[in-house]
Amino acid sequence: MTQKTRNAPPRAAAMLESLRGLGYSTAAALADIVDNSISAGATEARIEFVWDGANSRISILDDGRGMDDGELESALRLGDKNPLDARDARDLGRFGMGLKTASFSQCRRLTVASTKDGVQSCLRWDLEELVARPDSDWLLFEGPAKGSKPYLTALKGKRSGTLVLWESMDRIVSDGYTADNFNDLVDNVESHLAMVFHRLIQGPRPKFKLLLNSQAVAPWDPFMTGHPAKPWSSPTTHHVTDYGSVAVQCHVLPHRDKLTPAEFDENGGPAGWTAQQGFYVYRNERLLVAGGWLGLGNARAWNREEAHRLARIRIDIPNTADADWKIDVRKSTARPPVSLRPWLMALAENTREKARRVFAYRGTPAPAQGNIPIEQAWRAERVKSGMRYRIEETHPSVAAVLANAGTLGPLVKSMLRVIEETVPVQRIWLDTAENKETPRTGFEGEPNEAVVEVAQVLFDDLIARKRLTAEEARKSLLRTEPFQKYPALVAKLGLDT
């Protein structure tokens, strides 16, 4: 028996209005358009924002291979490509929907003009025209809208290339929207594109050039590659899967104390230091996910916490991995396959712990002489009820007081115990959370004279009590917290001036 069926095509205007709600930001939508340019072999894309009140517009012009009339119609047809089909290894698309859905999320009129071998074609989607014809089919209009032809002149005279034009940008220019808001949007878009395409636009000979209002977009490198204060980067490790190799490299960024104010502001990223921690997932060097822990964790998923804000991990996946990684249409979310989670968890736990140490100890380096650890004034003890913090009695400053306390020894130890039991842990935690910074310690902000005054007392004690030579005393101080941070000052102790 033949199964009865019915043809139930969607209504064009209603469907297109629904597709507008996929949740693109303007920056993410423009990144999708740039993806198409790169997939088309372009070496350059120029994005132009033009403010004209309700008639404001955005255009994207590339120098790619272009499309003839048939190819352009295919590119503008919804669902023209099956995401399961094989594609070029360097293709940045997957669903064949990005050009349309990204554009509709921002505007009601999408015009695309393309030149191939010197022949230009132009088609447009116009939602206002479709609304006016509620019973119409999926109508693509030929040529630009009335009055819009001058906006396509940038393509004139080119042998190849494509220009995408957004008009009637109701999702951007709404009631009360001003030129200042538009300029702020330009800045936001620039920050996003600088991050998403940084690996393609960086270096003396970049693979791709991206311009925004005629100015080259400068790359933003999340990993501060090459910075001399960066404490740690792992070798790149690989995991071979059925869909290709996944590569991971882990990074811990410098503590704020190791950066200038300008470097700190610049490297926080578009969302700030805490939000930018975590995994950075790339496909063909294009960033898909910028930060976050991909739902990984132990008993529950890890959150973005201040203590781990210096941890950033780069993951490179092939474009054959989209289904396994659950890449969405907007290329904004990813979930690692179950088979990779233990491997990624182990790498992340190690990186998070290293980042926590750098954050907690303000990026203090190891002493220059060998691998002898720093003598710290405090030690952390893990007990059943949690963590306790104890004064380290072997620290030279504490040891010197105890050794010379005489009959006051019990009183001094009692004082130290009171200090241990009244450490304002909750206040420190609250101040750190609210201020997004660890409190000032280690003579931070104090004049050199204050450091020398304390160091000189300990220097003299090491010579008198432990009978060290001046050189041995200086070496001991360079292995002692917090004086290891002041090698130049320590080097002058005991020298005649």
Side-chain angles (χ1 to χ4, degrees):
M1 181 177 178
T2 303
Q3 176 68 50
K4 292 183 178 181
T5 62
R6 298 183 184 185
N7 188 29
R11 290 185 173 89
M15 185 66 178
L16 292 176
E17 291 290 348
S18 298
L19 288 175
R20 305 193 73 204
L22 283 179
Y24 281 93
S25 66
T26 303
L30 284 168
D32 251 21
I33 307 301
V34 174
D35 285 345
N36 290 336
S37 297
I38 295 172
S39 295
T43 61
E44 176 182 287
R46 292 176 174 268
I47 302 173
E48 295 293 332
F49 280 67
V50 179
W51 171 253
D52 188 16
N55 296 317
S56 298
R57 60 189 182 275
I58 298 174
S59 64
I60 307 95
L61 171 68
D62 71 46
D63 62 352
R65 67 179 67 94
M67 295 173 280
D68 59 28
D69 188 71
E71 291 170 327
L72 178 57
E73 180 178 334
S74 175
L76 285 173
R77 181 184 295 117
L78 278 81
D80 186 68
K81 292 182 179 179
N82 188 329
L84 300 179
D85 290 344
R87 56 192 168 138
D88 185 271
R90 301 301 301 174
D91 192 350
L92 293 177
R94 164 59 69 183
F95 297 94
M97 297 284 283
L99 170 61
K100 287 80 69 176
T101 55
S103 299
F104 294 149
S105 73
Q106 307 298 310
C107 69
R108 299 188 67 79
R109 182 188 298 155
L110 165 64
T111 305
V112 182
S114 191
T115 297
K116 185 173 184 179
D117 298 327
V119 179
Q120 181 173 310
S121 303
C122 181
L123 295 172
R124 80 177 190 275
W125 281 108
D126 199 320
L127 270 62
E128 291 302 328
E129 293 279 359
L130 293 177
V131 168
R133 312 179 191 193
D135 297 325
S136 65
D137 206 343
W138 296 80
L139 298 180
L140 271 174
F141 297 88
E142 296 185 359
K146 184 179 179 180
S148 297
K149 188 174 181 179
Y151 308 150
L152 306 179
T153 55
L155 199 58
K156 187 177 181 179
K158 296 185 179 295
R159 291 288 301 170
S160 65
T162 298
L163 189 150
V164 176
L165 175 65
W166 292 352
E167 298 175 283
S168 300
M169 299 190 300
D170 63 323
R171 293 292 178 93
I172 299 175
V173 184
S174 54
D175 290 342
Y177 199 83
T178 68
D180 287 340
N181 299 137
F182 201 63
N183 291 331
D184 290 341
L185 177 63
V186 174
D187 292 339
N188 176 269
V189 167
E190 182 176 17
S191 297
H192 184 77
L193 298 180
M195 176 175 64
V196 169
F197 297 105
H198 76 94
R199 292 171 69 182
L200 297 170
I201 63 177
Q202 67 188 7
R205 300 182 65 182
K207 299 176 182 178
F208 185 71
K209 189 174 183 181
L210 187 56
L211 297 100
L212 181 58
N213 286 352
S214 301
Q215 299 294 316
V217 175
W220 180 77
D221 177 8
F223 312 110
M224 298 182 66
T225 304
H227 195 285
K230 189 175 175 182
W232 180 73
S233 293
S234 75
T236 300
T237 58
H238 297 266
H239 196 293
V240 179
T241 68
D242 293 339
Y243 50 76
S245 178
V246 175
V248 175
Q249 186 178 37
C250 306
H251 302 264
V252 175
L253 274 53
H255 191 279
R256 180 172 189 165
D257 289 358
K258 304 299 179 181
L259 304 174
T260 65
E263 286 177 327
F264 181 80
D265 291 340
E266 177 185 349
N267 289 286
W273 281 91
T274 301
Q276 298 283 182
Q277 68 181 268
F279 289 102
Y280 286 69
V281 182
Y282 295 81
R283 185 182 63 188
N284 290 342
E285 298 186 306
R286 193 268 202 206
L287 182 62
L288 301 178
V289 176
W293 295 106
L294 301 180
L296 299 179
N298 295 313
R300 60 181 181 177
W302 291 322
N303 294 318
R304 293 175 170 96
E305 300 168 339
E306 288 297 315
H308 303 115
R309 73 181 193 185
L310 303 179
R312 295 179 184 173
I313 302 174
R314 190 182 84 189
I315 303 179
D316 282 287
I317 65 174
N319 69 359
T320 51
D322 287 7
D324 294 87
W325 280 75
K326 300 178 177 61
I327 306 299
D328 67 350
V329 173
R330 293 180 296 129
K331 303 171 196 165
S332 61
T333 61
R335 297 279 291 182
V338 173
S339 61
L340 292 184
R341 289 177 174 242
W343 176 55
L344 294 175
M345 279 270 293
L347 293 172
E349 285 180 322
N350 181 48
T351 305
R352 283 162 57 89
E353 177 59 24
K354 290 180 183 296
R356 190 187 69 81
R357 290 176 184 171
V358 172
F359 181 78
Y361 293 108
R362 314 186 69 80
T364 300
Q369 301 90 352
N371 293 317
I372 302 175
I374 298 290
E375 292 194 58
Q376 296 175 352
W378 289 87
R379 72 177 186 273
E381 292 182 351
R382 185 178 296 276
V383 296
K384 288 184 178 180
S385 58
M387 298 297 297
R388 300 187 71 90
Y389 300 94
R390 298 299 190 193
I391 295 173
E392 185 56 74
E393 294 185 3
T394 60
H395 187 280
S397 180
V398 181
V401 172
L402 292 175
N404 291 283
T407 58
L408 294 177
L411 189 60
V412 171
K413 287 197 172 188
S414 176
M415 178 192 69
L416 295 179
R417 184 61 186 270
V418 169
I419 293 173
E420 290 175 341
E421 297 299 333
T422 57
V423 175
V425 174
Q426 292 181 328
R427 177 62 184 270
I428 293 171
W429 175 84
L430 183 61
D431 288 342
T432 300
E434 290 180 344
N435 299 324
K436 309 299 183 184
E437 290 300 329
T438 49
R440 304 287 93 182
T441 57
F443 293 108
E444 182 70 24
E446 293 286 328
N448 288 347
E449 293 76 12
V451 182
V452 172
E453 180 180 357
V454 178
Q456 185 68 57
V457 172
L458 294 181
F459 177 81
D460 293 341
D461 176 75
L462 289 171
I463 292 175
R465 181 173 58 86
K466 301 189 74 173
R467 301 190 181 281
L468 300 183
T469 65
E471 181 62 24
E472 290 171 337
R474 284 190 287 268
K475 287 183 178 179
S476 178
L477 283 176
L478 288 174
R479 297 192 297 269
T480 302
E481 184 183 36
F483 303 105
Q484 84 285 355
K485 297 172 63 176
Y486 303 94
L489 298 181
V490 171
K492 296 178 180 178
L493 296 174
L495 301 178
D496 294 330
T497 57

